Amino acid sequence: MNRVTRWRLAMRLLARDWRAGELRILGAAIVIAVAASTAIGFFTDRLGRGMINQSADFLGADLVLESPRPVRTQWLAEARDTGLRTSETLEFSSVLVVGDRLQLASVRAVDAGFPLRGRLRTAAGPFLTDAEDVTTPAAGEAWAAPRLLTRLGLNSGDTLAVGKQSLVIAKVLTFEPGEAGSPFGLAPRLLMNLADVPATGVVQPGSRLTYHYLFAGSEQDIARYRGWLKSRLGPSHRLVGVQEGRRAVGTALERAERFLGLAVMAAIVLAGVAIAMAARRYSERHFDMSAMLRCLGATQRDLLELYLAQLLVLGLLASAAGCLLGWLAQQGLLVLLADLLPMAPSAPRAWPLLAGLFTGLVVLAGFALPPVLRLKRVPPLRVLRRDLSPLPGNAWLVYGAAVTAVVLLMWRYTDNAKLTLAALAGGAAALVVLGVLGFVLLALGRRLHTRVGVAWRFGLNNLWRRRRTSVSQILAFGLALMAMAVIALVRSDLLTTWESQLPVDVPNHFAINILPDQVEAVRGFMDAREVPTTQIYPMVRGRLVSINDEPVRQAVTKEAQSDNALNRELNFTWTTELQEDNRIVNGRWWRSGDSGRPLVSVESKLAERLGIELDDELGFTVGDERFSARVASIRSVQWDSFRPNFYMVFPPAVIERFPATYMTSFYLPPGDKPMLIELVRNYPALTVLEMDLIIAQVERIFRQVTLAVEYVLLFVLLAGFAVLFAALQASLDERLYEGALLRALGASRRQLRSGHLAEFITLGALAGLVAAIGTECIAWVLYSQVLHFDYSFKWPVWVAAPLLGAVLIGAAGYRGTRPVVERSPALLLREG
Amino acid sequence: MVAASGLSKRVATAAGPLDILADIDLQIHAGEAVAIVGVSGSGKSTLLGLLAGLDLPSSGDVRLAGHHMNALDEDGRAQVRGELVGFVFQSFQLLSGLTALENVMLPLELANTSAPRLQATGLLERVGLAERLTHYPKQLSGGEQQRVAIARAFSMQPAILFADEPTGNLDSSTGETIIDLLFELNHEHHATLVLVTHDEALAGRCERRIRLEAGRVVEPDGTA
Ligand SMILES: Nc1ncnc2c1ncn2[C@@H]1O[C@H](COP(=O)(O)OP(=O)(O)O)[C@@H](O)[C@H]1O
Ligand SMILES: [Mg+2]
């Protein structure tokens, strides 16, 4: 047969199969697979870019270049040529003098374009209600942070002088993109117009200046420009993109992204299961066709090409339909979420469509190819002896192909080698273990069968008689249930973590620079107004100078030498009580006798970066004085919890001799803001940092990510149910045939029905049990290696999965075998 | 046309090796109609499978129209089958997903002949199923299904037709009409016919019979 003939025949056969309904289940499985992964892929892509946009709002731009000197004009021209919008700001410190009051301010001079992303927020006076502001300070104007005004005793409308230039305070600045980094140690902000800078006279040779060049544009343009710029940067330049600029919500978003990646994987595994089951059925139903074709003179090669051509075309058509469906589903989702999602999701891109097509074909190749390859080995003698079937596919080929497909897709979707490898190893081990386990469970179930009623005996016997098939069905359903369970589990732990990270009364203000003799007074002030504060911590600023008597720069690795912690002063504190969200990961917390002993507890990330270990001797300086302390514990800190946190914590009476200021954080509802004016007036040295706007923004992001996670869960569950049903459908043939035979032999309808019910309930419960075991293992790996959650035994899964399996598969199987009693046995046997 | 010498078939079973066929010699000439008879289980179908090149003997040799079937690989045998051989089976072996017409078209399409639909329609008309072209096998009676199978067997103008108990699943009067049809078509196409049956009356319609008993030929009448 030549190739053209083969293709023509293949297409005819495909069309006939389609018409005869032979392709329904396989086709549906592919469509579901592709639709689910496309929908989630689309959604994740758009949401992910939405999040990046939001991070850009935080940063004020898509890309920021920081430099101590003006950069070459050519660099900016290049940016504009690339199609980017640009803005330029200049930052410097300046001491402002009003009457007899002095205050260091951090001045930022901006052009009219600032900020390129996000919005400034301003208010008419200090601590008054604020709103978004699309303008920037006009020439001759200044916008000042509330604490600058309270320090200087000014109000809006007053004038102040920056250098030689006097400016009118036009507005109070409450929020500025790009300032979300570390709020500590910053002098209060004054915003002014770039055009006024020359008149101030502050730009002199040798003055400390920071230029910021902001860029915004399409993702591709930014990437292109970034690439162009990178090779030209000098050592004093710093480039900050949205990825680097989103620390405030970093871990939350990272986890959300991993969750979405996991969800896509779950959808793919589900799809694989459905396709494998459907392809197996397809293959078995084509044994006769293959035998006949070979009897009629077709070679093995003919058969191979005939089936591959059909599979390819079916795969392409079904994947295309799946892509379309997935796109529609995602579109519908966005419409549904339009009111709930505060941000506008960005426009769709084409790649998820291609990815969907790719996914469909890879899953098809991995899961459907092995059973279909069996078809070419059907012996022609089958036409004389019906019982002759081709040898079952080589297990290595079957599972190898499936695992390869999953790994390929996983790698493609998560871009995470560690995750992929973990999943690969886990998956392979799990398949073997679960397969054996399924077998053992089946054998155990069978031992029960003398002690149960006749229906159960029939059901259990059926399962045992077909134990090979039964085990593979338990595995398949178990995998599907597992995919659903893992996603459901991760979702709820994700949400719990976020809720605990930002409880309703998370401190949204910091009070720093509280003088020692004012601590009691400030505490009294807060208590009188029923403002809940966290503990009041002493704060001593000092440097880490040596590790085990070696100067710190020599003691650490090369990469760590430029670590910020070595280049600036760190915050030290002392306390007896471990902060709520801190955990000791190594060593021990203070005991009663530790007071006055030279011990220190080190934050775990810093310890890791600098290679500090338990019992190391650390040398510190505070002011001019040196002292040392032994590392008694390594402590993990939740930096995004918006509570006071410290790198170095000492026991009492070790650093108490150094001058300290105190700090605390507290929650203030929006209506109570005017209290701050009073606080600052009473204690002029004290500084209030307002975190409420940043927290509100983080909350908003959490809220919408939560929503997305919920919807994706719903998607996975829907896909899971669809897949379970399709897979079940594929396993019904044999049961229908046998049922008809038994009816013909005189079995009552009732007997058959309850027998089938028992069979499917058992199948579902065993699959659920297998799923629970798999889920537990996967959760352990995921939590400890990928998501960095605390792992605890997931007992609800052990209850829910077998129960759900029994109910779902029991019900669907019961429904699926209904034709046994609804149609005449003769008809069924004839169709068999 | 068909020649076997020293043909035996031995299979491994749970109870040890089993000789299904032992030392069979036979010759069937072009244009002849030969019946292979014997009780159920005597090895008739196994012999037919070997003669038609669907299976390989444990020892001995089969020649089909000059081709040494042992010397060919499975694909080579498939080619010989495709060119020379037609089959009719006891259980019809129609493909359930294809209509009557499509079942008959299949070998024509496989061989890439021109106008397979026209030819197949003609054949189905010839076997009296002009009205049933688009019916699926399950919508046809046993006799009708076997007619479709006969039309399919003759679609490629085979030089040899192998029929394995073609009336085994049919009542006697339907069986008779089927056999009449088979012989008529065989005559029209000048094909060699190898008919396996346990029905002596049916065997009587052939020019010659070869009797099998427990895997051996016992009545080699008319050895050439
Ligand atoms: N592959 C095999 N394995 C075991 N026994 C077989 C095999 N093939 C055929 N037989 C046995 O050989 C005997 C002859 O079978 P067959 O040729 O089908 O007989 P007939 O067609 O004459 O009824 C039967 O008893 C059958 O069970
Ligand atoms: Mg037989």
Side-chain angles (χ1 to χ4, degrees), chain A residues 727-771:
Chain A
L728 197 76
Q729 211 64 34
S731 74
L732 289 180
D733 281 356
E734 203 179 349
R735 292 189 172 93
L736 288 179
Y737 185 77
E738 278 188 12
L741 206 60
L742 287 171
R743 257 191 82 198
L745 294 177
S748 78
R749 294 169 176 226
R750 249 189 74 108
Q751 270 173 331
L752 277 178
R753 294 304 277 149
S754 40
H756 277 143
L757 187 61
E759 186 178 342
F760 282 109
I761 286 180
T762 312
L763 201 62
L766 292 186
L769 205 55
V770 163

Side-chain angles (χ1 to χ4, degrees), chain A residues 357-672:
Chain A
L357 222 54
F358 173 78
T359 306
L361 291 180
V362 171
V363 176
L364 193 63
F367 289 87
L369 213 47
V372 171
L373 285 184
R374 251 181 107 187
L375 282 171
K376 79 168 188 163
R377 289 184 283 120
V378 174
L381 198 60
R382 184 180 161 91
V383 293
L384 288 174
R385 295 176 48 91
R386 282 298 308 272
D387 55 320
L388 279 182
S389 299
L391 294 170
N394 179 326
W396 283 110
L397 177 69
V398 174
Y399 293 110
V403 168
T404 311
V406 169
V407 166
L408 202 69
L409 291 174
M410 185 138 184
W411 186 53
R412 152 87 192 63
Y413 275 103
T414 59
D415 207 7
N416 182 337
K418 197 162 132 191
L419 188 71
T420 306
L421 279 178
L424 172 64
L431 267 183
V432 173
V433 173
L434 297 182
V436 171
L437 191 85
F439 197 79
V440 170
L441 287 176
L442 212 53
L444 283 179
R446 190 180 142 74
R447 293 191 52 184
L448 273 181
H449 95 286
T450 46
R451 267 176 263 159
V452 293
V454 59
W456 284 90
R457 197 174 311 159
F458 171 82
L460 290 174
N461 272 336
N462 271 350
L463 287 177
W464 182 252
R465 208 160 28 77
R466 289 191 286 258
R467 47 192 169 271
R468 258 189 78 103
T469 325
S470 299
V471 168
S472 71
Q473 277 167 6
I474 289 175
L475 268 184
F477 294 139
L479 269 176
L481 287 171
M482 188 176 81
M484 293 153 79
V486 166
I487 295 303
L489 204 62
V490 172
R491 165 246 165 221
S492 55
D493 282 323
L494 208 57
L495 300 196
T496 315
T497 312
W498 290 342
E499 270 164 28
S500 71
Q501 189 180 334
L502 284 184
V504 251
D505 54 354
V506 62
N508 56 1
H509 290 79
F510 284 88
I512 60 174
N513 294 335
I514 305 172
L515 300 178
D517 55 3
Q518 291 177 345
V519 169
E520 283 317 308
V522 168
R523 205 197 299 275
F525 179 93
M526 294 293 192
D527 287 349
R529 285 157 189 81
E530 289 176 350
V531 175
T533 58
T534 54
Q535 204 182 333
I536 298 190
Y537 291 96
M539 198 162 99
V540 172
R541 295 180 70 81
R543 286 176 185 272
L544 171 68
V545 291
S546 70
I547 301 175
N548 291 329
D549 293 327
E550 212 181 329
V552 70
R553 270 172 210 284
Q554 286 157 35
V556 301
T557 59
K558 235 197 170 93
E559 307 94 75
Q561 278 173 9
S562 60
D563 201 295
N564 255 335
L566 305 182
N567 299 324
R568 61 180 168 83
E569 291 194 314
L570 302 175
N571 291 330
F572 302 164
T573 194
W574 72 85
T575 178
T576 50
E577 259 164 63
L578 188 63
Q579 280 120 298
E580 234 177 87
D581 52 354
N582 286 199
R583 266 187 313 119
I584 300 295
V585 292
N586 208 350
R588 59 169 186 80
W589 185 242
W590 314 139
R591 298 190 193 122
S592 50
D594 288 337
S595 181
R597 291 180 60 194
L599 299 174
V600 62
S601 170
V602 184
E603 191 266 336
S604 60
K605 289 240 172 64
L606 180 76
E608 195 180 314
R609 288 204 306 272
L610 302 184
I612 296 174
E613 283 166 13
L614 211 59
D615 291 326
D616 280 352
E617 196 73 25
L618 303 185
F620 300 99
T621 57
V622 172
D624 305 333
E625 196 179 330
R626 270 191 83 113
F627 67 99
S628 68
R630 190 170 55 79
V631 177
S633 65
I634 306 282
R635 197 169 28 91
S636 76
V637 166
Q638 211 184 324
W639 287 110
D640 45 14
S641 70
F642 297 100
R643 284 167 214 277
N645 268 307
F646 301 89
Y647 283 120
M648 303 288 171
V649 177
F650 295 85
V654 177
I655 55 169
E656 278 177 40
R657 63 180 186 276
F658 299 115
T661 59
Y662 287 74
M663 70 172 296
T664 187
S665 62
F666 53 92
Y667 172 74
L668 208 60
D672 291 358

Side-chain angles (χ1 to χ4, degrees), chain A residues 385, chain B residues 11 13 18 20 39-46:
Chain A
R385 295 176 48 91
Chain B
V11 294
T13 67
L18 172 72
I20 305 175
V39 295
S40 179
S42 56
K44 307 181 297 291
S45 295
T46 309

